[in-house]
Amino acid sequence: MALIVCKFGGTSVASPERIRNVAKRLVRRKQEGHQVVAVVSAMGKTTDELLGLAAAVNQNPPTREMDRLLSTGEQVSMSLLAMAIEARGYQAMSFTGRQAGIVTDNTHNKAKIVSVDSERIKDALERGYIPVVAGFQGIDENGDITTLGRGGSDTTAVAVAWGIGADVCEIYSDVDGVYSADQRICPHARKLDEISYDDMLEMAGAGSGVLQMRAVEFARKFNVVIHSRSAFSDAEGTYVKEECDMMEEAVITGIAHDTSEVKVTIRGVPDSTGVAAKVFSALAGNMVNTDMIIQNTSEDGITDISFTCPGADLERAKETLKRVVPEINAREVSIDESVAKVSLVGTGMKSTPGVAAKAFNTLGEADINIVAISTSPIRLSVVVDAAQAAEAVRVLHHAFDLDSDAVFEETQLSAEEIAAKMAKGR
Ligand code: ASP
Ligand code: MG
């Protein structure tokens, strides 16, 4: 018998029928002899719809009211799920974030959990109930409702799992686990049986969107085992945990790509002391998250500086540079939005020389030009033209022996379709 947290995302509870299916699944887990706690997201696109409603009445809604509004989505799904469980003859009880003892700081819209008191949930479990917890929300010290940021229900699930000392936190979604690459662009991608927290975090940071990054960070900190699996099948998914059996062999665990970054180049920069400091301090001061930075060697005391940043930060970057560029006497700024970042991730990289050389050779042979490079001990990222990103993922996946024999056939997109998709993804 195990103690399990089962988290269901928006797609899995998008309709009454799907909610009934979730109830069935939870009841089955209980019949198998396990103790289960459910955590739910809002139904389907509810959160987006609520955001739309808010925007229709106020372009800049107060964050406190926003959280109050957004938290209702999860309260609808939690109650419906509890009712659906009761309809199958089992006892269920729903809990808001506050009732589940999720206390956060007061940063509305992206609050951080500061403590978890799971007494009520443990008590309900002991009395034979299936507790159903609203994801994504908590309460601050003033008693105001907060939300944890988009995708925050994953974090709730991990927090609840930690609070009750669960054996595993099962995260059900419309994907059946973590893959070595995005199947839609890399049909030979393989499902990973397990992945370490570190690799998962690098994959998530590099654009692989299966699990919310904060949830994985939380899980690593408190050693909660996550099982990412499909809401629509019984197949085993991917376990995210500290130690992985297969880790010794594999150099590369997976390849992630991210089309949301943009490249900004400042041209004609006088190559003098303190210029870079000025530029990047100003960017940081305006909350621009710079990722890769490249400074060309100077000719006649003039150089170019390029950096990449999330597309979401581009407006702020432009604003900042409008001010700074004249101050440093640079010539102009140019922006390239059609770039993508492709990252090789793997703890095994730390002890294996030659990964970079092999990656660069592979890309070179495929005629893919590298615009920028960055590395960490367990990640190697390159920036390439967005139109070549899918091809880059495929050739690297093949070169590092990640290809599975099974081919994913559902969406075999043409190169043009993929490029169009990626351009839109931004
Ligand atoms: N409903 C929230 C969102 O859409 C939280 C979640 O789904 O995890 O972001
Ligand atoms: Mg979600």
Side-chain angles (χ1 to χ4, degrees), residues 224-271:
V224 174
V225 176
I226 295 177
H227 183 189
S228 160
R229 60 188 307 186
S230 166
F232 307 113
S233 89
D234 283 330
E236 289 268 302
T238 304
Y239 285 87
V240 187
K241 52 191 199 149
E242 185 68 56
E243 288 294 334
C244 291
D245 302 337
M246 49 181 240
M247 248 157 47
E248 285 277 82
E249 305 148 37
V251 177
I252 302 298
T253 305
I255 301 178
H257 69 277
D258 182 357
T259 53
S260 67
E261 294 224 344
V262 296
K263 186 180 137 217
V264 180
T265 303
I266 313 171
R267 296 189 197 285
V269 183
D271 192 5

Side-chain angles (χ1 to χ4, degrees), residues 117-356:
D117 174 0
S118 300
E119 278 320 303
R120 282 198 72 178
I121 295 180
K122 285 194 223 162
D123 183 58
L125 274 173
E126 248 159 54
R127 287 164 40 216
Y129 284 84
I130 298 180
V132 181
V133 179
F136 179 53
Q137 56 184 270
I139 194 106
D140 69 12
E141 77 235 342
N142 301 322
D144 283 328
I145 293 178
T146 52
T147 61
L148 309 178
R150 295 310 303 270
S153 299
D154 285 0
T155 305
T156 304
V158 173
V160 169
W162 174 72
I164 63 171
D167 298 294
V168 60
C169 177
E170 298 185 332
I171 298 195
Y172 292 84
S173 69
D174 48 358
V175 294
D176 55 3
V178 180
Y179 277 76
S180 55
D182 186 338
Q183 280 180 296
R184 288 165 304 174
I185 62 163
C186 183
H188 283 282
R190 64 170 68 227
K191 185 166 79 191
L192 305 172
D193 293 331
E194 44 188 36
I195 183 170
S196 68
Y197 294 124
D198 288 343
D199 281 0
M200 189 66 241
L201 283 171
E202 286 282 1
M203 289 283 281
S208 160
V210 179
L211 295 168
Q212 199 213 20
M213 216 161 138
R214 268 182 57 202
V216 182
E217 275 164 3
F218 200 106
R220 173 170 66 173
K221 193 156 165 198
F222 297 104
N223 214 356
V224 174
V225 176
I226 295 177
H227 183 189
S228 160
R229 60 188 307 186
S230 166
F232 307 113
S233 89
D234 283 330
E236 289 268 302
T238 304
Y239 285 87
V240 187
K241 52 191 199 149
E242 185 68 56
E243 288 294 334
C244 291
D245 302 337
M246 49 181 240
M247 248 157 47
E248 285 277 82
E249 305 148 37
V251 177
I252 302 298
T253 305
I255 301 178
H257 69 277
D258 182 357
T259 53
S260 67
E261 294 224 344
V262 296
K263 186 180 137 217
V264 180
T265 303
I266 313 171
R267 296 189 197 285
V269 183
D271 192 5
S272 53
T273 318
V275 165
K278 209 173 222 161
V279 171
F280 290 99
S281 306
L283 288 166
N286 211 0
M287 303 296 283
V288 177
N289 222 327
T290 52
D291 182 13
M292 300 186 194
I293 299 172
I294 317 132
Q295 174 166 351
N296 292 334
T297 43
S298 62
E299 255 174 63
D300 304 325
I302 299 287
T303 183
D304 291 349
I305 299 179
S306 298
F307 64 87
T308 63
C309 71
D313 294 359
L314 182 59
E315 281 313 311
R316 285 196 301 280
K318 281 188 195 164
E319 225 174 81
T320 315
L321 294 177
K322 211 184 221 163
R323 189 160 41 78
V324 174
V325 161
E327 274 175 37
I328 59 169
N329 277 320
R331 197 172 69 236
E332 60 181 6
V333 173
S334 67
I335 285 149
D336 186 356
E337 295 193 51
S338 59
V339 293
K341 185 166 75 171
V342 174
S343 305
L344 294 114
V345 173
T347 316
M349 223 186 259
K350 262 194 284 203
S351 49
T352 316
V355 171

Side-chain angles (χ1 to χ4, degrees), residues 7-10 40-48 51 70 73-74 135-136 149-156 212:
K7 183 262 170 177
F8 292 89
V40 284
S41 290
M43 293 173 71
K45 300 255 166 278
T46 302
T47 307
D48 291 327
L51 283 165
L70 293 185
E74 272 70 11
F136 179 53
R150 295 310 303 270
S153 299
D154 285 0
T155 305
T156 304
Q212 199 213 20

